[in-house]
Structure formats: structure tokens, C-alpha cells
Amino acid sequence: MPRPRRRLASTCIGTVTAGLLATGAALATPENDRPEGSDIAMGAYLDYGPPGVARIPHLSNWLGGKDIRVGHTYLPGDKWAGIAGGVSFLEDWADWRRAEDDRMFVLNVPMQERNEDRVSDRQVARLIRAGAAGRYDQHFRRLAERLVELGVPDTVIVLGWEMNGVTYTHRCAPDPEGWKVYWKRIVTTMRAVPGQKFRFDFAPNRGTDAIGWTKCYPGDDVVDVIGMDSYDQGPGQTFDDQITQPYGLQQQVDFAKAHGKPISYPEWGLFRRGDNPEYVRRMLKWIAQHKPLYHTITDYCPHGVWQCKDNPDSAKVFRDALMPERPGPVVPTPVVPTPVVPTPAVPTPVVPTPVVPTPQVPTPQVPTPQVPTPQVPTPQVPTPTPVVPTPAVPTPVVPTPQVPSPTPVVPSPQTPLPVSPSPLVPTPVTPVPVTPSPVTPSPVAPSPQVPVPVTPSPAVPTPEVPDPDTDPTPTPTPTPKPSPAVPTPQVPAPVTPKPEPTPPKPLPQPTPPPVNSKHWCVPLNFGEWLSKLVGTQSVCIKLDFGKNSGIWPF
């Protein structure tokens, strides 16, 4: 038994040790996992004075919180007073630099006054010789003292930048050898100031320009950084051309490596080719690959990406490349399970329990008495079926008009049936029969009560028609007009039938009108009680079928 315990203890100790080692490996972040180029000091030229300092936090926010470690500005080159540091904005930059220990202050310093006045090569050569003789030493000594007083003695000084070009008065081509002597004198003078820790950056233009920049290199003893200003412009049409051209990006890297110096890019950005995201992507990749001491993009139009809205695609590439990577998901450390030693199970003997039979006690059966349910007869109530009498509606007889003879016959006053007129004759009003309401039956089967029809009033006699032979001026026959609206008959209240039904009275048969009659009358039946109220009414129609009437059919 002791051996398994020791073996189990050894297993547990080994498992815990492996878990701790795995946890430590998971918590430790290797240096290789950091984003490429994340340790390179980065900045941007935003403005030479206090606005440039104030814009740095906003640029950092735009880049997703990236730490802007480089502040970059320029001294004015119009007067020696400015070159000597006699400007107030140096205090703002000094305050920004001192706020964080890892920040870097980069200051471009001209070597001559009237630096952008397009001074001729002859005058430039004379100024270079004067500087090499020590004529301007006091200005640079005063600048060094000023920077030490402000608490920025470790300023990176980009002295006489783009000296291989043709723009500035401090250019090198008019007298390269004298220019190198002048550079050495300035550096020696500034390093002589107590407390200084300056680093001097030698930063030509990319390419040959007016002179190959290696011909202006003053020496390793007075140069700390080999920089290069590189914009998206010639020489070179593509980024690959900018790398491989003489005095291009590759030669800068090789030259700095040969002299044991770090590289830098104090100025870079877009120029003359508009929005060029491919250039920005390749330049940032080049920077990440060769890891300069610092780089600062010139951020104003047409060069920039944040303050210049003319280059949105390049701005997106710049922002995406420099935004800090968000931390990925935390991978949990796998837990190694502790091996469990199984405990042998000892079987427990099973003792059978005797089964005691339960006696069955019979339950007495008590009969349930049957109570008969009385049958209650349901009385049969006969349901009388009401008989609704159907009133006899007389069918109107439509008379066929006969062709009148030349001699008009005066019709006798008889009640005519409704006549269907021709399309030119208005339709007479047909009386509406009144439907009696059903009669409530009594126990004895009653006879339905038939409403007594109202005897129509006698027809209105037709007026005498003058003889066309005796009356020379015939009277025009008036146009028949429809009778006024007949009021709706009221349905009489139901009448309780009597034991003995009253036979209905025979309806009077109207006498048919004579052939070719000009006057027809139809009696109107409104019921017994309404007829008593409004009196006997009838509708009469008068037609003239004479030959001269215009409707003679024959």
C-alpha cells in the first residue's frame, strides 16, 4: 500500500508543476508577438508653434489612441535671431517633451539666414566660407544654451536639412568641402555647451538632386543619425524606383549600416501625384522593416493624411496601419486532470428477507336496493300551423291598340286595365296589391280572413274630341304628365278571425276601352281605410293617334 501512495503523490506534484509552467508561459508575452514597428517613435509635423502641440492628442485619438512620441518643428530661417532660438514657441514644445520620459523633440535648424530667399550659388559659397571661419558660432552657441535652459538638452537637431537640393541657402553644392567644415564647426560649438546631450541628424533629399548627398557627408564624429526626406515625387515613378535609384532609400540604409548609424525619416508624405494609398502603404512597410530611430509625416496639404482631406484613401491606409492592435481573446490554460486511483469495491453480502404472506380478509357484499324511477308522461300539445292566405292579385290585361278609323269614336266611361305603352308613351302606374298579415289561428281550424278589396271609383270620362272636319283650328293635345307620388299604403293590423268566414266580394271587372280610344283611366286601390281617407283616385292617359299627330302608325 505505501508504494501506490508515493506514486500518486509524485504524479500530483508533477501535474501541478506542469500546470504552473503552462500558466506562466501563457501569461508571458513574447517580444515577437508585438505588432511590427510598434516600438518605432512616430510623429507628424502639425504646426511649428503652440497649435502643433495642441493637435498631437487629437492625432492620437484619430489613430485609435496610438502614442505620439515625436514632436517636430522648425526654427525660422529669415533672421539669425530666430536661428539662435529667440522664439517663444520653444517653451511649449519643451513643456510637451518633459511631460513623458520616452518622448522625443526633433528640431530643424537652418545654417544660414535668408534661408529661402533664392540666394545665388556665388553668394552661398561666400556664406559657407564665412561660416567655416567661425563667423556665426555665437548664434549656434546661444541656441544650445537656450535648449539646455528649457530642459530639452537631448533634442534631435536636423541641421541644414536637404543640403543636396537647390532650395535653401544652406545648400551644399556651391562648396561641398567648405560646407562639411562649416557643419563640423556648428556641431563642435553646440556640444561645448555644458549639459547638452544633442543628437545631430544628417537628412538629405532622396535621390541625387543637385549633388550626390554622400559628397556632403561631414564625418561619423559629427553625425549621430543618417536621415532622409522622401516624398512621393521624382526621381522614380514607382516605389521600387525610389528604393533602387542612386542615392535612394536602399543606399541610405546601406550607407548608415556601413557607418554604424541609425536611420530616420524626418519628412515624408505625398506630393505632386495626389491621393496615393499604395505609396503610403509601401512607405509604412519600409519603415516597419528597417526600424528607423523615428519618422514624422508632414501632415498638411498636399502632403498629409489627417489634416489634409484631399487624400482620403491614403489616410485610411495610414490609419489602419498605425492603429494599435486590440488585444486578442484570452486563451485559457488547459487544466491537467489529476489521475484518480480507483478504490476497489467490496461486495456486500445480500441477506434475503423472508416474505410473510398477508392474510386475505373477505369483504362482505352489501346489495344496493333498486329504486324504480317514475315515468312522467309528457303531454302532447298540438302545435297549430298558421295558414297564410294568398291574396288573389288580378292579372292586368294589356290591350292591343287598334288602328283608329278616320271617324273618331267617343269611348264610353269604363274602367280600363293598365296598358303597356309604346316607347313614346309614358308607362302608367300599376297598383300595388296589399298583402294581408297572417291571421292568428284559434283552437278550431279557422278560415283565413280575405281582405275586402275596395271598389274602384268610376272612370273619369274622357272629354269630347272635336271633329277635325268641322273645327278648322285643331286644339293641340296636352302632353300627359305622371301623377304625383302615391303614398305608401299602411299594412292593416291583424284581425282576429270569426268562426264563420265571410266570403269575399267579387271584384268589379273593368270594361275594356274602345278601339282607338284617346283616353284611358285606371282606378287606384289604396285599401279600404286609405280609400276612405284620400277618396277614389285614378290615373288617366290621353293619346291622339290622328294622322296629323306624327305618331300615326299606318
Side-chain angles (χ1 to χ4, degrees):
M1 293 299 293
R3 289 183 180 177
R5 290 181 181 175
R6 286 197 299 271
R7 194 176 295 120
L8 178 60
S10 300
T11 304
C12 293
I13 293 173
T15 302
V16 172
T17 303
L20 291 175
L21 292 176
T23 303
L27 294 177
T29 303
E31 193 68 18
N32 294 335
D33 290 343
R34 299 181 63 185
E36 186 178 11
S38 61
D39 56 341
I40 301 173
M42 173 264 175
Y45 173 73
L46 303 174
D47 188 85
Y48 69 92
V53 179
R55 291 167 186 166
I56 291 178
H58 300 289
L59 175 61
S60 176
N61 292 337
W62 182 71
L63 291 174
K66 181 175 178 60
D67 190 11
I68 307 300
R69 294 171 51 197
V70 182
H72 186 193
T73 191
Y74 297 75
L75 289 176
D78 54 341
K79 301 292 183 183
W80 280 114
I83 298 173
V87 288
S88 61
F89 62 79
L90 284 178
E91 299 176 1
D92 300 274
W93 286 106
D95 293 340
W96 176 85
R97 163 63 187 90
R98 294 194 308 267
E100 298 289 344
D101 291 339
D102 63 342
R103 288 179 176 174
M104 184 183 302
F105 180 42
V106 177
L107 180 65
N108 279 41
V109 178
M111 295 172 65
Q112 298 286 355
E113 67 176 355
R114 299 186 301 154
N115 199 36
E116 298 182 32
D117 287 353
R118 301 293 179 182
V119 179
S120 66
D121 286 345
R122 175 181 293 183
Q123 290 178 303
V124 169
R126 187 165 54 248
L127 292 172
I128 290 174
R129 288 192 292 271
R135 181 175 177 180
Y136 312 122
D137 289 354
Q138 71 274 16
H139 304 302
F140 296 101
R141 184 181 301 108
R142 178 69 190 115
L143 173 62
E145 294 171 350
R146 170 84 165 141
L147 294 174
V148 172
E149 291 171 1
L150 292 174
V152 286
D154 57 350
T155 300
V156 177
I157 296 176
V158 185
L159 181 64
W161 69 98
E162 299 179 8
M163 76 295 297
N164 60 327
V166 296
T167 302
Y168 301 108
T169 304
H170 62 221
R171 60 187 180 268
C172 167
D175 187 359
E177 296 302 320
W179 189 91
K180 289 187 283 186
V181 174
Y182 184 30
W183 171 285
K184 289 182 178 182
R185 191 169 189 97
I186 294 173
V187 172
T188 303
T189 301
M190 295 186 70
R191 283 179 175 173
V193 175
Q196 65 81 30
K197 301 177 183 179
F198 305 125
R199 285 179 287 183
F200 292 88
D201 193 339
F202 175 82
N205 271 326
R206 174 182 52 79
T208 303
D209 213 339
I211 185 175
W213 50 264
T214 58
K215 298 176 182 179
C216 302
Y217 185 69
D220 293 339
D221 58 333
V222 289
V223 173
D224 300 293
V225 184
I226 296 177
M228 179 168 284
D229 291 352
S230 180
Y231 290 90
D232 181 25
Q233 63 174 352
Q237 294 298 318
T238 66
F239 192 82
D240 291 331
D241 293 339
Q242 297 176 12
I243 293 175
T244 59
Q245 65 190 210
Y247 305 102
L249 293 173
Q250 187 62 53
Q251 187 167 349
Q252 176 218 11
V253 172
D254 296 341
F255 187 86
K257 185 177 180 180
H259 291 263
K261 307 294 182 182
I263 62 174
S264 71
Y265 298 100
E267 292 182 31
W268 71 275
L270 302 169
F271 196 32
R272 303 185 190 280
R273 294 178 181 174
D275 192 2
N276 191 348
E278 181 61 22
Y279 167 79
V280 174
R281 182 181 297 106
R282 293 290 303 274
M283 188 64 186
L284 289 173
K285 186 176 179 180
W286 178 267
I287 290 172
Q289 178 181 356
H290 295 282
K291 294 179 173 53
L293 176 67
Y294 70 92
H295 70 99
T296 53
I297 187 171
T298 304
D299 196 61
Y300 60 86
C301 284
H303 312 297
V305 291
W306 177 53
Q307 295 188 112
C308 182
K309 306 305 179 184
D310 297 338
N311 306 314
D313 295 336
S314 298
K316 184 178 185 305
V317 171
F318 184 90
R319 187 168 183 258
D320 293 343
L322 294 180
M323 285 183 67
E325 293 186 7
R326 300 183 182 276
V330 178
V331 180
T333 304
V335 179
V336 180
T338 304
V340 179
V341 179
T343 303
V346 179
T348 303
V350 179
V351 179
T353 303
V355 179
V356 179
T358 302
Q360 300 294 329
V361 179
T363 302
Q365 299 294 329
V366 179
T368 302
Q370 299 295 328
V371 179
T373 302
Q375 299 294 329
V376 180
T378 303
Q380 299 296 327
V381 180
T383 303
T385 302
V387 179
V388 181
T390 302
V393 180
T395 303
V397 179
V398 180
T400 303
Q402 301 295 327
V403 179
S405 60
T407 303
V409 180
V410 179
S412 61
Q414 295 181 357
T415 304
L417 294 177
V419 180
S420 298
S422 61
L424 299 178
V425 181
T427 306
V429 179
T430 305
V432 180
V434 178
T435 304
S437 62
V439 179
T440 305
S442 61
V444 181
S447 301
Q449 179 68 30
V450 179
V452 179
V454 179
T455 304
S457 60
V460 180
T462 305
E464 294 289 336
V465 179
D467 190 353
D469 297 333
T470 58
D471 191 355
T473 306
T475 304
T477 304
T479 304
K481 298 181 180 180
S483 61
V486 180
T488 305
Q490 302 294 326
V491 178
V495 180
T496 304
K498 296 179 182 181
E500 295 181 3
T502 304
K505 294 181 181 181
L507 296 175
Q509 298 296 327
T511 305
V515 181
N516 296 334
S517 175
K518 301 179 182 178
H519 194 177
W520 288 275
C521 293
V522 179
L524 300 179
N525 187 358
F526 300 107
E528 183 178 357
W529 64 274
L530 188 58
S531 297
K532 292 178 181 182
L533 179 64
V534 299
T536 303
Q537 299 292 332
S538 61
V539 178
C540 297
I541 300 174
K542 183 177 182 181
L543 300 175
D544 187 3
F545 293 99
K547 294 183 179 180
N548 297 328
S549 63
I551 59 174
W552 180 251
F554 302 100

